[in-house]
């Protein structure tokens, strides 16, 4: 069983002896920012910033006025609130990309860090959002009092169990499209102080509620603050800013006194002089829709995105009426090089990307051909080294190449087992021949076993009739594979009538190219292993000593479509895992030799998962043997492991329908790892912040702070006396409005909640992809290639609890409540009422309300 959490409104899931219990806190991967260092210019321009691992990494933001890119604060494990208080960046006014905040322990508010952040442009985004705050367990308020504009995309604020002052912001006044904002699963508003400064803040247009970021900071709404400025911002003394200003200004009616420029800024030779303009002057180019640069400045701009480090600025003339500087040419434009300068020009018809002749000796160099459809010359591939997921990276970069104007040369590439990564290749023109003779050269590739897995209709054509082909010193590439490729091309494969074929005897000379079928069967399965056996191939050989060993290949295969050669990586970077098994020893006569090789266990498999499996022999070819060059290989078999621990239940929600009852609902686990039998519900007390919660009198919604006037009606007097313990007061305030039974809230309709759950899952995946960035310099290791930037190898880990940690009667951490059957309809809710919930509350805190509790639930599968 597995467990997930929310808070008062939150759920965890655990179960019987088949269940494993963990709280959904995520251990961070530790690494520093992808850009490596902060290159502060005199104008405070900074590249993308990735603040991770430790709080003092925030120092890299010093002197930043504008982040031209993205700001991430994430993966800070065991951070404490006091550490953040040492940093403040009042200079930061603008972020051109997105602002992502997730998994940063101890951060309670952004107010001290970014008091003057005014604009998030959203030119880059995660999923569909420019401001994302997710799973910040310690955050009590957002605290961005100067934020007035998110120019593109929306806001995503979710799964922050203690976050208040979210509903006191009118997000529609900040974002251009309020319909895409997604704010959910934070602390319920009725459990938050949510008290704005009295009689100071603007009102929401929809319901006239006060708008504020905290009990001391109002939301800035320019049309309310500066009524005589026609919607423009104004100074602190209410003087209108220049029409080119956005968010505010230092002085009125001056385009050089703006906090942020509405359109573009021009940097003066004076390091402190910035002028806001409606468009860039002639001989300059607009960059990131926000500043003007010269052509030389454009050429020197380099991407700070670690996944696009090879990109540099290039000019694009008359694009939507403006001359601009871009890192990548837009759709239907191609990159052209003239006089060592790159620029973009429109394509003539469907956009074909023509790239120069290239020598590819690494994955990094193959990225230069990404998106190319034609190689204008010879393509040479010689990859001597190895990198994780080599074949997948080559496919990602080279899979659009359709034409090679010159020749194709693949040589000395130890790590390649096939050429299937050139998936779209259709024609080799041979206009430039290797050594003035060959259109195709494939030689000295020690692990090459296949060329292209093509059908007749998608064969590769060699268009120059007199061109020759050469295949030599490919010890694992059998001649029949070569001839199959040539039969599908336009070349005559008869050596007698066509001397252009040059296929040496050194192809396939280290492997048996004539394979027999090896019998294979599955003997036993568990939830994490399988036991197999196969035919004893010693019995088929004239000399059993020629059999060296067996190789067992297996991989996860959700569909029964596994291929022996596609996406293969001889160095182990593909999906196939290999297990070497020694041949059996037998001293008796040949006729008494066992039919089957001994049984072999394959361990550490995933629960309830389909695998593909095959076995092949490793045989020394022997020209003197009657069965020379014969080996064996089984067919691919498929099997599914037995059930195991379920994954987290999804979309957990909890709604209070009275002081003694709650309504809980959830969706089944995404990977149940078997047939779910039942769910179990648990309760755990969560930590509180009394000083934060005590800002509000929850009976009448008024503040209790000494700094503001408190209206003492009979109700609040009764509360005060009750808290102080006056014996003459017997009753607390009565709740106004509807009868409690009429105010019961039920979850949203099932279809709506299913859609919300899918979107939430997609957003989580997008955030994870944005935060966990592969290290391009990773050299391999135990973490399977998930090494991040500076080599950190920690992964997100779930905390597991043994059964006796929480089921015992003396446990002070978790208390069992109730079990529900699995046949509860998905998305339907269940109610827990007095005495179940009341009893648990009394046990933990001698009180009857459930505020400050954490509810857990578990999915538990059937025994098999």
């Amino acid at each position: 069983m597995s467990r997930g959490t929310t808070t008062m409104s939150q759920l965890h899931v655990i179960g019987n002896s088949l269940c494993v219990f963990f709280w959904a806190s995520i251990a961070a991967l530790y690494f520093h920012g992808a850009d490596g260092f902060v290159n502060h210019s005199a104008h405070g321009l900074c590249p993308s910033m990735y603040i991770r691992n430790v709080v003092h990494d925030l120092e890299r933001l010093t002197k930043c006025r504008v982040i031209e890119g993205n700001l991430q604060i994430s993966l800070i494990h065991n951070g404490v609130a006091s550490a953040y208080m040492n940093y403040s960046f009042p200079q930061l006014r603008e972020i051109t990309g997105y602002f992502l905040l997730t998994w940063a322990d101890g951060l309670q508010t952004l107010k001290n860090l970014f008091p003057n952040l005014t604009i998030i442009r959203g030119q880059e985004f995660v999923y569909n959002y420019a401001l994302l705050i997710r799973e910040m367990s310690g955050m009590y308020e957002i605290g961005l009092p100067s934020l007035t504009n998110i120019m593109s995309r929306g806001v995503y604020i979710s799964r922050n169990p203690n976050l208040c002052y979210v509903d006191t912001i009118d997000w529609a006044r900040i974002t251009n499209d309020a319909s895409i904002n997604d704010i959910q699963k934070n602390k319920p508003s009725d459990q938050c102080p949510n008290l704005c400064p009295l009689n100071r803040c603007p009102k929401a247009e929809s319901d006239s509620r006060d708008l504020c970021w905290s009990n001391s900071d109002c939301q800035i709404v320019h049309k309310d603050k500066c009524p005589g400025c026609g919607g423009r911002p104004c100074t602190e003394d209410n003087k209108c800013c220049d029409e080119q200003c956005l968010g505010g200004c230092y002085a009125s009616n001056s385009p050089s006194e703006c906090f942020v420029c509405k359109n573009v800024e021009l940097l003066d030779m004076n390091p402190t002089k910035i002028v806001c303009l409606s468009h860039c002057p002639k001989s300059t180019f607009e960059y990131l829709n926000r500043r003007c640069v010269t052509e030389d400045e454009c050429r020197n701009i380099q991407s700070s995105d670690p996944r696009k480090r090879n990109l540099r600025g290039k000019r694009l003339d008359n694009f939507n009426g403006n001359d601009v500087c871009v890192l990548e040419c837009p759709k239907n434009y191609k990159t052209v090089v003239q006089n060592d300068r790159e620029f973009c020009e429109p394509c003539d018809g469907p956009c074909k990307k023509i790239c120069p002749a290239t020598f590819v000796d690494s994955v990094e160099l193959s990225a230069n051909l990404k998106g190319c459809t034609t190689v204008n010359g010879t393509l040479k591939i010689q990859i001597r080294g190895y990198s994780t997921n080599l074949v997948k990276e080559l496919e990602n970069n080279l899979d659009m190449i359709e034409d090679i104007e010159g020749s194709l040369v693949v040589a000395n590439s130890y790590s390649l087992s096939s050429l299937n990564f050139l998936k779209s290749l259709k024609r080799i023109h041979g206009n430039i021949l290797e050594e003035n003779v060959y259109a195709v050269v494939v030689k000295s590739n020690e692990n090459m076993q296949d060329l292209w897995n093509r059908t007749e209709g998608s064969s590769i054509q060699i268009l120059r009739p007199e061109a020759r082909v050469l295949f030599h010193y490919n010890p694992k590439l059998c001649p029949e594979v070569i001839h199959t490729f040539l039969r599908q091309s336009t070349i005559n494969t008869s050596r007698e009538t066509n001397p252009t074929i040059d296929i040496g005897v050194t192809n396939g000379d280290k492997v048996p190219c004539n394979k027999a079928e090896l019998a294979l069967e599955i003997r036993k399965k568990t939830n994490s292993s399988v036991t197999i056996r196969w035919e004893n191939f010693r019995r088929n050989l004239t000399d059993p000593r020629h059999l060296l060993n067996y190789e067992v290949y297996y991989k996860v295969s959700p569909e029964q479509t596994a291929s022996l050669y596609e996406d293969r990586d001889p160095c182990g970077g593909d999906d196939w895992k290999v297990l070497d098994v020694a041949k059996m020893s037998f001293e008796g006569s040949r006729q008494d030799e066992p039919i089957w090789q001994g049984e072999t266990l394959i361990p550490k498999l995933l629960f309830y998962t389909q695998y593909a499996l095959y076995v092949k022999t490793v045989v020394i070819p022997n020209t003197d043997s009657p069965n020379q060059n014969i080996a064996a290989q089984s067919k691919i078999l498929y099997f599914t492991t037995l059930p195991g621990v379920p994954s987290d239940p999804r979309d957990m929600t909890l709604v209070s329908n009275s002081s003694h009852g709650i309504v809980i609902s959830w969706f089944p686990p995404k990977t149940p790892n078997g047939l779910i039998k039942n769910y179990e519900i648990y309760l755990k007390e969560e930590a509180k912040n009394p000083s934060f919660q005590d800002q509000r009198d929850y009976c009448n919604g008024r503040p209790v702070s000494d700094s503001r006037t408190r209206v003492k009606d009979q109700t609040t007097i009764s509360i005060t006396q009750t808290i102080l313990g006056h014996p003459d007061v017997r009753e607390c305030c009565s709740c106004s409005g509807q009868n409690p039974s009429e105010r019961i809230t039920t979850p949203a309709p099932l279809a709506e909640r299913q859609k919300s759950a899918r979107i939430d899952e997609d957003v989580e995946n997008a955030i994870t992809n944005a935060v966990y960035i592969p290290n391009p310099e990773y050299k391999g290791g135990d973490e399977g290639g998930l090494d991040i930037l500076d080599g950190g190898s920690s992964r997100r880990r779930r905390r597991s609890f043994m059964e006796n940690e929480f089921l015992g009667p003396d446990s002070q951490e978790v208390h069992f409540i109730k079990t529900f059957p699995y046949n509860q309809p998905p998305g339907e809710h269940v109610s827990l009422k007095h005495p179940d919930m009341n009893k648990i509350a009394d046990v933990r805190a001698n009180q009857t309300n459930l505020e400050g509790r954490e509810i857990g639930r578990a999915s538990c599968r059937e025994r098999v």
Side-chain angles (χ1 to χ4, degrees):
M1 139 212 143
S2 63
R3 170 180 291 208
T5 70
T6 84
T7 47
M8 181 234 76
S9 20
Q10 289 185 341
L11 302 171
H12 285 241
V13 177
I14 63 180
N16 57 26
S17 59
L18 296 177
C19 304
V20 176
F21 177 13
F22 71 90
W23 299 112
S25 61
I26 298 180
L29 291 183
Y30 293 101
F31 55 94
H32 289 287
D35 49 283
F37 63 95
V38 180
N39 184 18
H40 295 305
S41 72
H43 292 284
L45 302 179
C46 298
S48 291
M49 290 289 172
Y50 302 91
I51 308 301
R52 315 164 192 263
N53 196 16
V54 288
V55 176
H56 64 71
D57 207 22
L58 286 164
E59 293 175 357
R60 300 166 56 241
L61 294 174
T62 303
K63 297 182 181 179
C64 288
R65 177 181 63 88
V66 178
I67 293 178
E68 291 189 334
N70 311 310
L71 174 59
Q72 287 186 18
I73 301 178
S74 61
L75 306 177
I76 298 178
H77 191 52
N78 293 328
V80 294
S82 59
Y84 294 94
M85 297 305 294
N86 296 325
Y87 301 95
S88 184
F89 308 99
Q91 305 98 320
L92 183 61
R93 293 279 186 181
E94 179 181 355
I95 298 171
T96 68
Y98 63 80
F99 182 8
L100 169 61
L101 195 64
T102 185
W103 308 318
D105 292 354
L107 183 54
Q108 297 181 346
T109 177
L110 299 173
K111 181 177 178 179
N112 188 60
L113 288 176
F114 310 116
N116 295 322
L117 179 62
T118 306
I119 305 296
I120 300 174
R121 293 191 181 268
Q123 294 174 357
E124 297 178 61
F125 49 90
V126 176
Y127 197 73
N128 205 22
Y129 306 106
L131 173 63
L132 303 97
I133 303 174
R134 180 184 171 98
E135 295 190 40
M136 294 291 296
S137 60
M139 181 166 273
Y140 290 105
E141 63 184 31
I142 297 173
L144 293 174
S146 298
L147 183 64
T148 59
N149 295 85
I150 294 178
M151 306 295 289
S152 178
R153 307 296 166 172
V155 170
Y156 178 83
I157 304 172
S158 180
R159 299 183 183 275
N160 306 289
N162 293 300
L163 184 60
C164 294
Y165 290 100
V166 178
D167 299 328
T168 60
I169 298 297
D170 189 347
W171 295 102
R173 300 196 183 193
I174 295 178
T175 61
N176 288 334
D177 185 359
S179 64
I180 63 175
N181 293 338
D182 191 351
I183 300 172
Q184 58 170 323
K185 299 177 183 176
N186 304 296
K187 190 158 191 173
S189 183
D190 59 4
Q191 298 176 30
C192 289
N194 285 2
L195 295 171
C196 296
L198 290 178
N199 303 319
R200 286 171 43 197
C201 297
K203 302 285 186 181
E205 293 179 343
S206 58
D207 54 12
S208 298
R209 72 187 188 278
D210 289 342
L211 300 178
C212 62
W213 294 94
S214 69
N215 65 353
S216 59
D217 296 298
C218 295
Q219 179 178 350
I220 296 174
V221 178
H222 291 306
K223 73 174 186 177
D224 293 344
K225 179 182 177 182
C226 319
C229 298
R232 283 185 288 159
C234 59
T235 61
E236 290 299 322
D237 54 357
N238 295 330
K239 293 181 179 179
C240 299
C241 297
D242 188 87
E243 62 180 9
Q244 293 300 325
C245 294
L246 198 61
C249 57
Y250 302 101
S252 62
N253 295 317
S254 173
S256 61
E257 298 292 340
C258 302
F259 289 168
V260 177
C261 293
K262 181 179 180 180
N263 295 299
V264 294
E265 68 179 27
L266 182 65
L267 306 181
D268 197 281
M269 294 300 292
N270 182 341
T272 62
K273 191 70 171 179
I274 297 172
V275 180
C276 295
L277 304 172
S278 60
H279 59 275
C280 290
K282 290 183 178 181
S283 301
T284 63
F285 300 84
E286 185 178 296
Y287 178 61
L288 292 179
N289 296 322
R290 65 161 306 275
R291 69 179 169 106
C292 306
V293 297
T294 65
E295 184 173 2
D296 286 339
E297 288 173 333
C298 176
R299 292 178 58 211
N300 290 324
I301 294 173
Q302 185 173 6
S303 172
S304 62
D305 187 330
R307 288 160 289 200
K308 300 179 180 180
R309 285 175 176 168
N310 61 318
L311 295 180
R312 288 190 174 275
K314 48 187 71 70
R315 61 180 286 180
L316 171 56
D317 295 338
N318 196 25
F319 183 68
N320 296 329
N322 296 315
D323 294 339
V324 297
C325 174
V326 297
L327 293 173
E328 293 183 276
C329 292
K331 186 177 181 180
N332 295 325
Y333 283 76
K334 59 185 178 182
T335 300
V336 178
V337 180
Q338 288 185 357
N339 299 324
D340 294 329
R341 293 174 180 253
E342 290 186 347
F343 62 94
C344 303
E345 69 177 25
C347 301
D348 184 13
C351 204
K352 297 286 186 180
K353 186 175 181 181
I354 301 175
C355 299
T358 303
F359 178 68
V360 177
D361 66 355
S362 66
V363 169
E364 289 73 24
L365 285 179
S366 74
N368 295 334
L369 295 175
K370 185 173 179 63
C372 297
T373 57
T374 300
V375 176
N376 190 18
T378 293
L379 174 60
K380 293 186 177 182
I381 300 175
Q382 181 176 304
I383 301 179
R384 296 179 182 272
Y386 173 72
S387 62
T388 304
N389 297 322
L390 169 67
V391 175
K392 290 183 178 179
E393 291 290 339
L394 289 176
E395 181 178 319
N396 184 50
N397 294 329
L398 307 180
D399 67 338
M400 293 185 66
I401 296 176
E402 297 179 357
D403 290 86
I404 298 175
E405 294 292 341
S407 307
L408 173 64
V409 179
V410 183
N412 300 299
S413 296
Y414 176 88
S415 302
L416 299 182
S417 59
S418 80
L419 300 180
N420 278 314
F421 53 83
L422 292 167
K423 284 193 169 184
S424 301
L425 184 60
K426 297 177 180 178
R427 293 168 292 272
I428 300 174
H429 293 260
N431 296 332
I432 302 173
L433 297 176
E434 182 71 5
E435 300 179 10
N436 297 318
V437 175
Y438 300 107
V440 177
V441 175
V442 180
K443 67 177 182 179
S444 301
N445 302 292
E446 192 166 342
N447 287 292
M448 187 75 69
Q449 301 175 53
D450 194 19
L451 296 175
W452 287 274
N453 186 14
R454 299 289 183 91
T455 61
E456 289 287 344
S458 62
S459 59
I460 298 170
Q461 302 298 304
I462 301 174
L463 299 184
R464 188 166 178 175
E466 70 273 19
R468 300 178 64 183
V469 298
L470 182 148
F471 291 82
H472 275 286
Y473 300 105
N474 305 292
K476 295 183 180 180
L477 183 63
C478 293
E480 181 56 32
V481 175
I482 302 172
H483 283 285
T484 297
F485 158 66
L486 295 177
R487 281 195 298 269
Q488 294 176 350
S489 71
T490 56
I491 288 184
N492 185 346
T493 58
S494 170
R495 184 182 291 271
E496 289 76 17
T497 60
N498 183 7
T500 62
I501 306 296
D502 190 352
I503 302 177
V505 296
T506 53
N507 296 298
D509 62 325
K510 290 187 178 180
V511 295
C513 286
N514 301 313
K515 292 186 176 71
E517 182 175 324
L518 189 70
L520 170 66
E521 65 179 29
I522 294 171
R523 301 289 289 170
K524 181 183 178 182
K525 296 185 297 183
T526 70
N527 59 14
S528 61
S529 67
V530 65
T531 302
I532 61 174
R533 72 174 184 178
W534 57 87
E535 177 186 353
N536 174 18
F537 196 65
R538 284 168 44 103
R539 302 171 70 249
N540 299 67
L541 297 176
T542 305
D543 188 345
R545 293 176 299 176
H546 291 168
L547 174 64
L548 298 181
N549 62 284
Y550 299 93
E551 292 179 342
V552 179
Y553 291 85
Y554 62 98
K555 73 170 184 175
V556 173
S557 182
E559 306 293 334
Q560 295 191 5
T561 56
S563 169
L564 293 175
Y565 296 111
E566 201 155 334
D567 297 328
R568 296 307 299 270
D569 185 335
C571 296
D574 56 21
D575 293 334
W576 288 99
K577 297 181 180 180
V578 61
L579 182 66
D580 289 323
V581 179
K583 65 182 179 182
M584 66 183 304
S585 298
F586 184 75
E587 302 298 335
S589 62
R590 294 297 300 277
Q591 57 267 31
D592 295 331
E593 191 158 350
I595 297 175
W596 297 96
Q597 169 83 7
E599 294 185 347
T600 297
L601 175 72
I602 304 177
K604 299 181 179 179
L605 305 180
L606 300 176
F607 301 148
Y608 207 57
T609 301
Q610 180 170 276
Y611 283 83
L613 165 75
Y614 73 93
V615 178
K616 74 174 187 178
T617 60
V618 180
V619 176
I620 300 175
N622 182 9
T623 55
D624 298 326
S625 173
N627 55 5
Q628 61 167 324
N629 226 23
I630 292 180
Q633 183 170 294
S634 73
K635 293 182 178 179
I636 295 179
L637 296 185
Y638 297 89
F639 68 91
T640 301
T641 52
L642 298 182
V645 177
S647 65
D648 300 350
R650 298 176 296 156
D651 194 28
M652 301 173 286
T653 61
L654 185 153
V655 178
S656 174
N657 57 4
S658 72
S659 61
H660 304 297
I662 54 175
V663 178
I664 306 173
S665 61
W666 62 85
F667 285 105
K670 183 178 181 180
T671 53
N673 293 339
L675 300 177
I676 300 299
K677 181 181 179 182
N678 63 274
Y679 297 96
E680 295 185 357
I681 308 297
Y682 291 81
L683 177 70
K684 175 178 179 286
E685 187 166 7
E686 99 185 333
K688 301 180 183 178
N689 186 333
S691 62
F692 184 80
Q693 292 298 136
D694 290 347
Q695 295 177 25
R696 174 181 172 187
D697 180 333
Y698 287 86
C699 279
N700 58 28
R702 296 192 176 100
V704 297
S705 170
D706 292 337
S707 64
R708 290 179 289 187
T709 304
R710 180 178 180 188
V711 180
K712 290 192 174 184
D713 58 15
Q714 184 59 46
T715 300
T716 55
I717 293 174
S718 298
I719 294 175
T720 305
Q721 291 174 337
T722 302
I723 294 173
L724 294 176
H726 291 273
D728 56 323
V729 179
R730 300 299 181 187
E731 297 181 356
C732 185
C733 58
S734 60
C735 296
S736 60
Q738 295 173 302
N739 184 283
S741 63
E742 298 174 353
R743 299 197 309 271
I744 294 177
T745 305
T746 57
L750 174 60
E752 183 180 328
R753 292 186 54 231
Q754 287 175 326
K755 179 181 179 180
S756 175
R758 287 193 299 270
I759 293 175
D760 194 51
E761 202 168 276
D762 291 342
V763 174
E764 180 178 17
N765 291 336
I767 290 175
T768 301
N769 291 336
V771 171
Y772 294 85
I773 304 173
N775 182 359
E777 300 178 357
Y778 177 74
K779 303 301 183 183
D782 294 338
E783 295 297 324
L786 189 62
D787 192 58
I788 309 297
L789 295 179
D790 67 344
S793 60
S794 299
R795 289 197 183 191
R796 295 190 295 167
R797 294 186 175 89
R798 298 173 173 177
R799 180 183 174 192
S800 296
F801 291 78
M802 296 305 294
E803 186 175 3
N804 60 11
E805 286 189 65
F806 55 88
L807 292 184
D810 298 327
S811 170
Q812 296 300 306
E813 185 170 29
V814 182
H815 292 260
F816 173 77
I817 300 177
K818 200 166 186 177
T819 299
F820 294 94
Y822 179 65
N823 59 8
Q824 183 79 23
E828 294 296 323
H829 63 269
V830 296
S831 296
L832 300 181
K833 298 183 178 179
H834 182 85
D836 293 297
M837 301 306 296
N838 192 30
K839 179 179 179 181
I840 296 300
D842 286 341
V843 169
R844 296 296 291 144
N846 194 27
Q847 61 186 35
T848 58
N849 69 72
L850 298 175
E851 192 277 324
R853 300 292 185 275
E854 192 173 75
I855 302 297
R857 81 180 166 191
S859 52
C860 304
R861 68 166 177 82
E862 288 183 344
R863 290 184 179 275
V864 177

